[in-house]
Amino acid sequence: MELSQLPLVLLLISNIHSGNTEGETVTLRCDIDGEGVTGWRYSWYKDGSNSVFSELQEHTFSPVTESDAGKYFCYGAERGGSRTSNIGDEVTLTVDTPQAVLSVSPQKWLTEGDPVTLICEVYGSSTGWTFSWYAVSSDYSNRYNLLSDSSRGAGGNYTFSSAALKHTGVYVCTAERGKPGYYTTYSNKQPVWVTGVSPPVSLIISPSRTQHFTSVSLSLSCEDQSNSDRWRVKRYTESLGLEDCSSSVWASQTGSTCTISSTITSDTGVYWCQSESGENYHPVNITVHPDVILESPVHPVTEGDTLTLRCLYQHSTPPNLRADFYKDGSLIQSQTTEMIIFNVSKSHEGFYYCKHSERGESPKSWISVRVSRSESQISVLHTLSSVLAVCPYLLVTVVLIFKCCRMRVLISHIHSGNTEGE
């Protein structure tokens, strides 16, 4: 039989698309257009193999897995006859492993009391996922501890309505779908850093700025009122994750002071103080960068204070540059060696960086602004004084009401007595 006389093979694949996701259902179906043939015996082949993969007209992967990916074609032979089909066109089945992606809104840097939401999504996949969130253990076990009140099946958001110091840490999420359950891999890691209004310890950095040049010495000290050595410096970097200064190869710790002898760009990360009981305090974002950096304060700026920013260049003396200054991506001052903001307010909070036309631009630094303690105290005192001012009037009003009530009762008794005597 010549090729042109062979029955036509139609290879149909249901629910297949570019980049099918593990856990979905995918069906391969082989239809043969052959007149006068009452029944066909089907043979499926995968990736050019001579072995028959399946003998069903319709083969279903439920759920489809990464190992099912490949090139498929089908072939038919007449049951009880001699007719055979031609070989169908090859179809490629691709299968992607679903990946959970974690993000933080509105930002990773918070002050105590701020709300923050962990958003877990499965990109390139349909709905129907339930989510779980985990905190990465701060020791070297790298355990993922399920949040005790982690909600499953309630959407992809997990919210701390009022961030506390204990929420400082690194988080991941996973997603599950179907029965039996199919799980994604753990998501990317997302840090959340909560700065206390009055932390029991301060992270002192020398030189005192958040951005530093490469190949310089950097000192980080945890200092409290008792000047104790019970603190250790910890850090989180994108390349190495959670690390302890006291048992590292990148630095050395003496007492509560951590010293990096020669900085490199991979030292960029978040550094903080950890107590003996595992509590985390005073996180500071440190960036190590060659050439151009922004000199900005390490600690949050208090409302009403003055904020000074400078653009520094590593290979010049003095290192100051005439540069443009930006806040949240918008130009706010151009061609000056420093930018000064008087009477800082909450509206000045944001990401700042500087840019030089020839040297390049610095990394971004987050400037946090906090309410002054004196203003808070004044507000409390004002409230108390208002209450105390009103108290005498309230007291007089209560006494008058009480006397009026007693007078009404007395008059009622007198009236009742007169009525009985009549």
Side-chain angles (χ1 to χ4, degrees):
M1 181 177 295
E2 296 179 359
L3 187 62
S4 60
Q5 296 174 304
L6 294 175
L8 175 65
V9 176
L10 300 177
L11 179 62
L12 302 178
I13 301 184
S14 174
N15 194 33
I16 187 172
H17 48 80
S18 176
N20 291 270
T21 303
E22 279 192 298
E24 294 181 336
T25 297
V26 176
T27 299
L28 306 177
R29 178 179 174 85
C30 188
D31 284 337
I32 303 174
D33 184 13
E35 295 182 3
V37 178
T38 58
W40 290 97
R41 186 173 64 252
Y42 300 93
S43 298
W44 284 96
Y45 298 89
K46 178 185 178 184
D47 294 334
S49 172
N50 293 326
S51 301
V52 176
F53 171 75
S54 173
E55 295 184 345
L56 300 173
Q57 181 184 16
E58 193 171 272
H59 184 84
T60 299
F61 302 98
S62 182
V64 69
T65 65
E66 194 173 8
S67 62
D68 297 322
K71 296 180 178 180
Y72 294 86
F73 66 86
C74 68
Y75 174 81
E78 184 181 13
R79 292 185 182 275
S82 59
R83 300 182 68 187
T84 59
S85 74
N86 62 344
I87 296 173
D89 292 334
E90 203 171 56
V91 173
T92 301
L93 173 62
T94 59
V95 181
D96 297 331
T97 301
Q99 177 65 49
V101 179
L102 183 65
S103 58
V104 178
S105 178
Q107 61 193 17
K108 303 173 188 178
W109 288 95
L110 309 163
T111 303
E112 280 184 294
D114 290 345
V116 63
T117 299
L118 306 176
I119 303 170
C120 193
E121 299 175 281
V122 180
Y123 283 169
S125 180
S126 55
T127 57
W129 297 95
T130 56
F131 302 90
S132 297
W133 289 264
Y134 303 81
V136 181
S137 176
S138 59
D139 56 26
Y140 288 101
S141 63
N142 203 33
R143 295 190 311 270
Y144 292 163
N145 303 317
L146 182 68
L147 300 183
S148 59
D149 54 349
S150 179
S151 57
R152 296 169 58 85
N157 292 347
Y158 183 85
T159 300
F160 298 116
S161 57
S162 180
L165 290 174
K166 66 179 181 180
H167 294 137
T168 289
V170 182
Y171 297 87
V172 296
C173 70
T174 58
E176 177 190 6
R177 184 174 66 179
K179 294 183 179 180
Y182 178 81
Y183 294 86
T184 66
T185 56
Y186 285 107
S187 70
N188 55 306
K189 295 177 181 177
Q190 283 285 9
V192 172
W193 311 110
V194 184
T195 302
V197 177
S198 300
V201 63
S202 293
L203 180 61
I204 307 301
I205 300 173
S206 181
S208 184
R209 55 177 181 248
T210 57
Q211 294 186 17
H212 300 267
F213 294 119
T214 53
S215 304
V216 298
S217 176
L218 179 61
S219 173
L220 307 102
S221 301
C222 294
E223 297 183 4
D224 60 11
Q225 291 182 346
S226 61
N227 203 22
S228 69
D229 291 340
R230 64 190 184 95
W231 303 96
R232 56 182 178 177
V233 176
K234 303 207 64 169
R235 78 174 186 179
Y236 173 80
T237 62
E238 290 292 338
S239 56
L240 296 174
L242 288 164
E243 294 180 298
D244 193 325
C245 178
S246 62
S247 54
S248 70
V249 296
W250 50 270
S252 60
Q253 180 156 338
T254 303
S256 293
T257 300
C258 176
T259 303
I260 303 175
S261 59
S262 182
T263 55
I264 57 178
T265 55
S266 60
D267 289 323
T268 295
V270 179
Y271 294 72
W272 67 94
C273 300
Q274 187 177 77
S275 67
E276 292 174 333
S277 58
E279 296 170 312
N280 300 316
Y281 295 99
H282 213 159
V284 175
N285 189 36
I286 292 178
T287 306
V288 178
H289 187 70
D291 300 333
V292 180
I293 65 172
L294 179 72
E295 185 179 70
S296 60
V298 172
H299 308 298
V301 183
T302 303
E303 279 190 317
D305 286 355
T306 299
L307 170 65
T308 301
L309 303 175
R310 295 183 180 90
C311 200
L312 307 182
Y313 182 56
Q314 187 172 21
H315 306 294
S316 66
T317 305
N320 296 51
L321 286 174
R322 293 186 67 84
D324 298 332
F325 290 84
Y326 294 79
K327 175 182 180 288
D328 297 329
S330 299
L331 178 66
I332 55 176
Q333 190 165 308
S334 61
Q335 292 302 300
T336 56
T337 56
E338 64 181 18
M339 185 180 74
I340 302 176
I341 301 175
F342 299 98
N343 195 22
V344 170
S345 67
K346 264 291 186 179
S347 64
H348 292 117
E349 206 168 56
F351 284 99
Y352 290 79
Y353 67 96
C354 63
K355 184 177 182 180
H356 188 267
S357 58
E358 296 177 0
R359 309 296 188 185
E361 68 180 51
S362 73
K364 296 177 177 64
S365 278
W366 171 258
I367 303 298
S368 180
V369 180
R370 65 186 175 193
V371 178
S372 66
R373 183 179 299 180
S374 59
E375 288 182 2
S376 300
Q377 290 174 343
I378 290 172
S379 177
V380 172
L381 290 174
H382 178 72
T383 303
L384 288 175
S385 62
S386 298
V387 172
L388 292 174
V390 173
C391 280
Y393 297 99
L394 291 176
L395 183 61
V396 170
T397 303
V398 171
V399 171
L400 289 174
I401 292 173
F402 178 74
K403 286 187 173 182
C404 286
C405 289
R406 289 197 61 181
M407 184 64 70
R408 289 181 62 184
V409 170
L410 181 61
I411 292 172
S412 176
H413 280 298
I414 294 172
H415 179 73
S416 177
N418 291 337
T419 302
E420 290 179 0
E422 289 176 354

